[in-house]
Amino acid sequence: MDRRQFLGALTGLSVGSLLPSRLAFPAIRTSKSMRGPVAKGPVIVCSRGKEWGEKVTRPGYEILTHGGHLLDAVEKSANVVELDPEDVSVGYGGIPNEDGVVQLDASIMDGPTHNCGAVAALEGIKTPCSVARRVMERTDHIMLVGKGAQRFAVMHGFKIENLLTEKARLLWLKWKENLSDKDDWFPAPEGVDYNQKRITGTINVFGLDAKGDLAGITTTSGLGFKIPGRVGDSPIIGAGLYVDNEVGAAGATGRGEEVIRTLGSFYVVQLMREGKSPNEACKLACERIVEINKRNGVPIDFNDKFIALNKKGEVGCYSILGSKERPPRVAWMDDKGFHVYEGGYLIERKK
Ligand code: ASP
């Protein structure tokens, strides 16, 4: 068969039939039970439940409903957790790395322009998502890390401050004093309980304005007691955050390494593009992570959670681990008030 005949033969085949079944796109079907609630009017969504959800979504919602800018809305909402010393997983007050130094990761994505910005391993600046926004708006780069990110932040008027609160320092000290052979360094012992006792957190914030434009932020202090310089999924566009103005937004929290190697948020948005509901897309991303780990014989003793918002305002979330008491949650504020939705999970969390 020459090249022309070969190409001719191909035209009779669909793309799906050329791919091994594992890689073929899944069939597009959304059962009614996987449809999520639909937010009305301008909306701010975040990956927390009631306790933080209302505090976080309100300032962004106020901005959106008073003629403000979509990016200001998501930034001001994300800043609420970043600036609050009580939250030990984001911004100021975040759990430090194994040296006792707080290193922050954040990303931002603007739907209408498809622009994005990110910072990673940033020290001494309380609001990393605001620095990520400056990277997006004031440079033609996408990600700055470490000292370079800090110098860039200072140039833009951000103050270097001590981010280690007493609460986080004591948590770190306790961890340090109880160090065992179960740390991050290879070779790891057989069947290591890697993530069970590690403090994780992070927040995803999305906005959908009256024009139907989308934007999103993910911000975190990352994995508690991480190896200095470790960067998680949160500042990696497509992993911890992805926004496509034609389709929707997705964000991840939990064990970032899994989300990076599946490009989880991009995958969720892509599934929504193919017709899946936000819930269903988030569920499929969780299943993908579990499938990869099962194939490698790795026990599923870690969690990842995805939240998503589509262009029509439909919200969804799903996690790998969960329980009746601790299901994955997504919260939003829209013209009907503040809401929390509990999504599904794949595996019952051990008590
Ligand atoms: N995803 C974050 C990271 O891996 C941590 C988390 O969400 O808890 O850095």
Side-chain angles (χ1 to χ4, degrees), residues 110 123 241:
D110 176 42
E123 296 176 15
L241 175 72

Side-chain angles (χ1 to χ4, degrees), residues 89 105 199-203 220-223 226 230-235 252-257 259 304:
S89 69
D105 297 339
I199 299 169
T200 55
T202 305
I203 191 160
T220 189
S221 52
L223 182 67
K226 60 195 172 187
R230 178 262 188 192
V231 172
D233 58 317
S234 309
T253 54
R255 182 165 158 73
E257 283 70 11
V259 178
D304 283 300

Side-chain angles (χ1 to χ4, degrees), residues 119 122-132 134-135 139 144-161:
V119 290
L122 173 64
E123 296 176 15
I125 310 289
K126 284 181 172 172
T127 52
C129 82
S130 300
V131 184
R134 296 301 191 288
V135 175
T139 79
L144 296 179
V145 306
K147 279 279 166 242
Q150 193 191 54
R151 277 173 49 195
F152 173 83
V154 170
M155 273 169 49
H156 282 271
F158 290 84
K159 263 203 318 230
I160 298 183
E161 295 173 85

Side-chain angles (χ1 to χ4, degrees), residues 10-331:
L10 281 190
T11 52
L13 300 171
S14 71
V15 176
S17 67
L18 290 174
L19 297 168
S21 63
R22 200 172 264 291
L23 292 179
F25 298 127
I28 306 303
R29 244 180 287 118
T30 292
S31 65
K32 268 201 192 132
S33 62
M34 289 301 283
R35 298 253 58 130
V38 180
K40 291 271 177 296
V43 56
I44 297 285
V45 176
C46 84
S47 58
R48 296 279 173 102
K50 186 161 173 28
E51 196 196 337
W52 282 95
E54 200 159 1
K55 276 197 274 189
V56 167
T57 53
R58 186 169 298 284
Y61 182 73
E62 294 293 325
I63 291 173
L64 281 189
T65 47
H66 288 85
H69 194 279
L70 178 60
L71 288 172
D72 291 336
V74 286
E75 180 186 352
K76 288 295 166 283
S77 276
N79 285 162
V80 171
V81 201
E82 291 183 326
L83 290 167
D84 194 322
E86 280 311 306
D87 183 282
V88 294
S89 69
V90 176
Y92 175 49
I95 295 282
N97 64 20
E98 68 177 31
D99 288 346
V101 177
V102 180
Q103 291 189 323
L104 305 175
D105 297 339
S107 59
I108 184 166
M109 196 156 178
D110 176 42
T113 58
H114 214 75
N115 279 340
C116 38
V119 290
L122 173 64
E123 296 176 15
I125 310 289
K126 284 181 172 172
T127 52
C129 82
S130 300
V131 184
R133 181 173 174 188
R134 296 301 191 288
V135 175
M136 173 173 81
E137 291 180 334
R138 309 298 302 167
T139 79
D140 68 352
H141 302 327
I142 287 179
M143 185 188 281
L144 296 179
V145 306
K147 279 279 166 242
Q150 193 191 54
R151 277 173 49 195
F152 173 83
V154 170
M155 273 169 49
H156 282 271
F158 290 84
K159 263 203 318 230
I160 298 183
E161 295 173 85
N162 177 20
L163 302 188
L164 189 66
T165 56
E166 270 305 281
K167 181 173 169 183
R169 187 183 65 78
L170 290 171
L171 283 166
W172 169 74
L173 204 57
K174 187 166 172 214
W175 170 80
K176 193 94 175 153
E177 285 171 350
N178 290 289
L179 264 184
S180 71
D181 56 353
K182 295 182 174 182
D183 62 15
D184 281 327
W185 300 102
F186 286 121
E190 280 292 308
V192 61
D193 176 7
Y194 183 82
N195 214 31
Q196 233 20 346
K197 296 174 191 70
R198 306 289 286 274
I199 299 169
T200 55
T202 305
I203 191 160
N204 318 118
V205 177
F206 308 143
L208 175 65
D209 68 13
K211 286 187 288 184
D213 285 333
L214 289 152
I217 282 178
T218 294
T219 178
T220 189
S221 52
L223 182 67
F225 322 125
K226 60 195 172 187
I227 295 175
R230 178 262 188 192
V231 172
D233 58 317
S234 309
I236 297 178
I237 300 298
L241 175 72
Y242 198 69
V243 178
D244 183 326
N245 214 42
E246 290 175 356
V247 179
T253 54
R255 182 165 158 73
E257 283 70 11
E258 301 303 330
V259 178
I260 294 173
R261 65 189 180 135
T262 52
L263 216 52
S265 294
F266 177 77
Y267 185 51
V268 169
V269 172
Q270 195 57 22
L271 288 165
M272 292 197 293
R273 178 181 280 283
E274 290 163 18
K276 297 286 182 191
S277 71
N279 268 330
E280 207 164 8
C282 292
K283 180 178 185 222
L284 284 162
C286 292
E287 284 175 351
R288 178 102 184 96
I289 292 172
V290 169
E291 178 199 315
I292 288 167
N293 281 279
K294 281 207 169 143
R295 209 189 301 152
N296 292 336
V298 177
I300 313 297
D301 56 6
F302 56 82
N303 199 15
D304 283 300
K305 166 184 155 189
F306 291 94
I307 70 163
L309 167 72
N310 72 16
K311 185 92 174 153
K312 294 181 205 132
E314 182 177 347
V315 296
C317 69
Y318 219 88
S319 64
I320 296 176
L321 302 179
S323 64
K324 229 170 137 216
E325 300 75 42
R326 285 175 64 195
R329 294 189 174 97
V330 58

